[in-house]
Amino acid sequence: MSLSTSSPRTESARRTGQGSVLTKDGLKVWLGRLLESHRVIAPAVEDGVLFFQPVSRPQDVVLEGKTAISPKGWVHPQTEVLFRVERRDGATALESPEEPPQQVLFGVRPCDARGIKHIDKVMLAEPSDGLYARRRERTALVGLACSQAWPECFCTSLGLAPDDASDVDVMLTLAGDIFLARAVTEKGKALLELAPLEDAPAGEPAVAQLAKFPTDGLAPAMKANFDSKYWAAVADRCIHCNICTFVCADCYCFDVRDAHVGGTVERLRCWDSCQAYGFTRIAGGYERRATKGERMRQRFAHKLLYYPEQFGEPLCTGCGRCVVACPVNIDIREIIQDVLKMGVKSATARAE
Amino acid sequence: MQPYLATLKEARYITGDVKVLSVEINDPVAREAFKYAPGQFAFVSAFGVGESAVTFVSVPHRPGPLEFAIRRVGTVSAALHELDVGATLGVRGPYGNRFPLEDYRGKDILIIGGGIGMAPLRPVINYLLDHHDQYGNLTIINGARSPQDLAFAEEFETWAKAPRTRLELTVDRGDDVWKGRVALVPAVVEELKPSPANCVTITCGPPIMIRFVLQSLKKLGFADSQIVTTLEAKMKCGIGKCARCNVGEKYVCQDGPVFTFDQIATFLEGF
């Protein structure tokens, strides 16, 4: 293979600079260019709260801090139209929603990127969800390594790292007052072609350090303690506000319902929560998970047992938002450690 | 998750609160391609109200429209009951696994249905009757709260007269004209004493009936692996994504709805 200077790779490198670093000004230039061709969804402050939202100006993007909720809603919307029922001249027709735009989710933390990957595995499994697949196809993720950890963070305990680049298209890592920029995928390479990369000497990458607790053997321990009274005890203080599931970077349960908008019927897909009474109630009134304990157990069994059995890893990325949001301090980190402790105990009991 | 548009061809009450809807998919190509098997289900839409998962009661190998037996119990079923013939509705599917009827060739078959639980059993019965030379004796126990609640009464004569077929009807409470049995389904099972030798039982009905039928069958020596049922669960997608119908680690929509009781015995969660 020739290393001639006319190879496309070198051409593009010359156009964008040979380097792999972006100054903070360079980052704004890049964002400006991305905004010309993409919807850019990035952390920005609204009413004092940091949210992923569409931005129109590079200076509105805030890359310090942690968003109140993950950007999962931009691939798996809180509410979306599956189709509209049009009635014209006595005939009924179903109209598909408009095609999703090309979008960049900018400044996505590794935990949130992994959350989207976890949702991908469900929605893209055969038979793939067409609407989700089209939106995902048109979405690129620009990741941002965490240079600081927040008190609720525990990603490393679940095998992630604050600079884990496995689920993003481009990875940015803060180093001093510049960003190291690395294309992870072909999609990312194309995005970075628009960036004014420089050769400026980089400082030391700033990557958060987190304390780690062991999580090995979690799925078997969940199974061993499935019938434990523990779940009812933990659920006692739950006020079933469902916030844990809505702020979760991974939770993807949804409801499908019809809504009347003007003269049109829309079939909607909306986030739902397994913590809600009625989630499994069938026509006639029978509710299979009638107690809070059974619903609490479902949340953790799905995350720590069923999903791992299906896809090989927990449906949790350690973002800790459920810990922050829970009004009654139900803490998944404590639950994981309790279950592991019980798991050892029951195994010992059986051995005796 | 977009359904086919379909037309309500016929609607008839088969009990006081159960209506059978005959439905034809509008697009002839989709209609032709729509293949399903006994035990599978579809989502039926009443546009503007919603959609529900409903088992097929039509008999796949017999030509004709799709049929669903809808008991009026909730908002969607009520809306489906209100539709006029000629109305447009939605159908998507088929979903789920099916009764593995070809595995039961050469065996005696015992069908035990209660109330609307007869719905998924009706295509099974008619399949078995149309292929009776491949199977042993067929016993059907059909129970309901009252004589008016016995589903598929229009076919009782045909079923009862079929070769090597026995139909036993029973009701919880009779009325002035009812001359048949007044007994609970499990009591009928114990009275008939079907032999577990070379027999498969397929049962569907209210959970309380199933629980006691299981006890009766076990008394008679049936193993869990010989008893097949179909589970009902709230579901929104039918394709393993909405995370609503799981019973423990099993998804009723994809792993089921048809399970044997030895499979169910391994489920972590009750249903």
Side-chain angles (χ1 to χ4, degrees):
Chain A
M1 188 178 159
S2 137
L3 289 173
S4 120
T5 49
S6 64
S7 80
R9 192 164 169 274
T10 324
E11 279 291 300
S12 78
R14 188 180 296 150
R15 202 164 59 238
T16 57
Q18 298 276 350
S20 57
V21 307
L22 269 172
T23 62
K24 288 193 172 164
D25 284 341
L27 188 91
K28 282 188 186 140
V29 171
W30 186 33
L31 272 166
R33 290 179 187 162
L34 291 175
L35 276 164
E36 287 168 13
S37 46
H38 293 77
R39 178 166 81 172
V40 176
I41 310 293
V45 176
E46 191 184 320
D47 294 333
V49 184
L50 193 60
F51 275 114
F52 275 93
Q53 52 189 300
V55 292
S56 51
R57 305 182 308 173
Q59 60 267 38
D60 292 338
V61 174
V62 178
L63 293 181
E64 303 81 33
K66 182 170 173 179
T67 54
I69 59 175
S70 96
K72 72 173 175 183
W74 296 99
V75 295
H76 181 37
Q78 204 165 342
T79 303
E80 72 178 319
V81 175
L82 293 176
F83 58 84
R84 294 187 176 83
V85 184
E86 300 290 348
R87 291 201 169 92
R88 279 193 215 99
D89 313 323
T92 304
L94 303 185
E95 213 165 76
S96 297
E98 45 292 339
E99 286 299 305
Q102 292 286 348
Q103 63 178 1
V104 176
L105 308 190
F106 198 96
V108 179
R109 303 290 181 177
C111 54
D112 290 345
R114 180 66 55 87
I116 289 173
K117 171 69 71 63
H118 286 161
I119 300 174
D120 285 350
K121 287 187 178 180
V122 173
M123 299 302 274
L124 301 178
E126 282 303 317
S128 164
D129 184 276
L131 192 55
Y132 182 92
R134 287 198 296 283
R135 187 177 295 110
R136 197 61 187 84
E137 176 62 34
R138 292 160 191 224
T139 301
L141 268 58
V142 174
L144 174 64
C146 295
S147 46
Q148 82 169 95
W150 282 264
E152 69 276 14
C153 293
F154 64 105
C155 67
T156 53
S157 300
L158 292 171
L160 280 84
D163 58 349
D164 195 325
S166 18
D167 309 306
V168 295
D169 298 296
V170 174
M171 193 62 176
L172 300 177
T173 309
L174 192 64
D177 55 359
I178 52 102
F179 289 97
L180 305 176
R182 176 160 76 89
V184 182
T185 65
E186 287 301 316
K187 224 188 226 180
K189 210 179 271 177
L191 289 183
L192 263 192
E193 302 225 328
L194 299 170
L197 293 174
E198 291 178 23
D199 272 332
E204 206 42 36
V207 178
Q209 298 292 316
L210 279 87
K212 205 171 154 177
F213 57 87
T215 55
D216 288 347
L218 192 49
M222 279 299 301
K223 203 166 206 166
N225 295 288
F226 193 83
D227 293 320
S228 167
K229 289 185 177 127
Y230 175 78
W231 302 108
V234 174
D236 270 343
R237 62 186 196 269
C238 173
I239 57 170
H240 31 79
C241 68
N242 307 337
I243 192 70
C244 50
T245 52
F246 296 135
V247 298
C248 177
D250 293 49
C251 278
Y252 59 85
C253 287
F254 59 81
D255 189 14
V256 175
R257 47 178 60 245
D258 286 7
H260 296 257
V261 179
T264 305
V265 166
E266 292 182 342
R267 177 148 302 161
L268 303 177
R269 171 155 65 192
C270 320
W271 290 357
D272 205 345
S273 174
C274 61
Q275 298 306 286
Y277 181 84
F279 185 73
T280 54
R281 184 176 54 210
I282 54 176
Y286 173 63
E287 166 59 282
R288 191 152 57 85
R289 293 191 198 113
T291 66
K292 283 196 289 187
E294 288 165 295
R295 297 196 292 277
M296 182 72 63
R297 182 178 65 187
Q298 165 64 22
R299 177 178 159 223
F300 291 105
H302 190 194
K303 290 190 175 302
L304 309 174
L305 175 59
Y306 309 150
Y307 191 94
E309 280 183 349
Q310 233 182 327
F311 298 110
E313 54 186 271
L315 186 64
C316 174
T317 61
C319 77
R321 289 192 183 86
C322 58
V323 178
V324 177
C326 180
V328 296
N329 297 320
I330 292 171
D331 187 329
I332 187 170
R333 296 169 300 182
E334 288 171 20
I335 286 168
I336 289 173
Q337 292 173 84
D338 286 350
V339 168
L340 283 170
K341 257 181 243 155
M342 291 192 296
V344 173
K345 225 186 283 168
S346 0
T348 317
R350 269 200 307 279
E352 287 161 359
Chain B
M1 294 183 48
Q2 195 157 313
Y4 296 118
L5 290 175
T7 302
L8 182 60
K9 290 297 193 186
E10 193 194 333
R12 59 182 201 280
Y13 278 102
I14 59 163
T15 77
D17 60 358
V18 177
K19 221 173 179 180
V20 168
L21 306 184
S22 301
V23 174
E24 193 175 78
I25 292 171
N26 292 354
D27 174 25
V29 177
R31 189 193 311 152
E32 192 54 38
F34 195 98
K35 302 287 179 210
Y36 63 102
Q40 289 194 293
F41 63 93
F43 278 82
V44 181
S45 282
F47 293 122
V49 180
E51 61 176 0
S52 287
V54 194
T55 193
F56 296 99
V57 300
S58 41
V59 187
H61 70 275
R62 292 184 184 173
L66 304 174
E67 290 181 327
F68 304 98
I70 312 279
R71 185 168 162 228
R72 188 177 187 136
V73 277
T75 48
V76 173
S77 56
L80 290 171
H81 270 226
E82 295 300 320
L83 291 178
D84 295 324
V85 168
T88 299
L89 35 71
V91 174
R92 63 182 178 94
Y95 298 121
N97 66 357
R98 58 204 187 85
F99 291 108
L101 298 177
E102 62 285 353
D103 295 350
Y104 307 157
R105 281 183 194 139
K107 292 182 191 291
D108 293 338
I109 311 281
L110 171 62
I111 303 271
I112 306 172
I116 189 66
M118 280 300 287
L121 305 177
R122 190 246 189 167
V124 173
I125 293 169
N126 285 331
Y127 176 90
L128 294 173
L129 293 184
D130 290 352
H131 301 82
H132 64 89
D133 52 324
Q134 298 171 16
Y135 293 88
N137 297 323
L138 173 63
T139 306
I140 304 163
I141 303 172
N142 178 5
R145 287 168 300 181
S146 75
Q148 290 75 36
D149 288 310
L150 285 165
F152 307 107
E154 62 202 17
E155 288 175 291
F156 290 166
E157 210 182 314
T158 315
W159 292 352
K161 283 183 179 162
R164 289 178 292 120
T165 300
R166 177 172 182 181
L167 173 66
E168 296 289 340
L169 302 174
T170 185
V171 297
D172 298 352
R173 288 180 314 278
D175 59 21
D176 297 344
V177 290
W178 178 251
K179 296 196 175 63
R181 282 174 200 276
V182 178
L184 296 175
V185 169
V188 178
V189 174
E190 291 189 35
E191 187 197 316
L192 295 181
K193 291 189 178 51
S195 163
N198 197 34
C199 180
V200 171
T201 298
I202 307 177
T203 183
C204 186
I208 185 84
M209 182 204 91
I210 303 252
R211 196 164 308 144
F212 288 105
V213 161
L214 264 184
Q215 287 179 12
S216 303
L217 288 171
K218 288 198 172 175
K219 263 190 233 169
L220 295 168
F222 280 83
D224 281 348
S225 57
Q226 285 174 279
I227 311 169
V228 186
T229 192
T230 165
L231 298 183
E232 180 181 7
K234 184 78 170 177
M235 49 179 80
K236 291 287 176 173
C237 71
I239 48 175
K241 308 204 189 293
C242 74
R244 191 177 299 257
C245 69
N246 72 295
V247 181
E249 63 272 68
K250 295 294 178 193
Y251 281 86
V252 173
C253 67
Q254 285 192 314
D255 299 313
V258 173
F259 294 101
T260 56
F261 273 92
D262 61 336
Q263 290 175 314
I264 290 173
T266 67
F267 291 179
L268 280 175
E269 203 178 10
F271 68 92

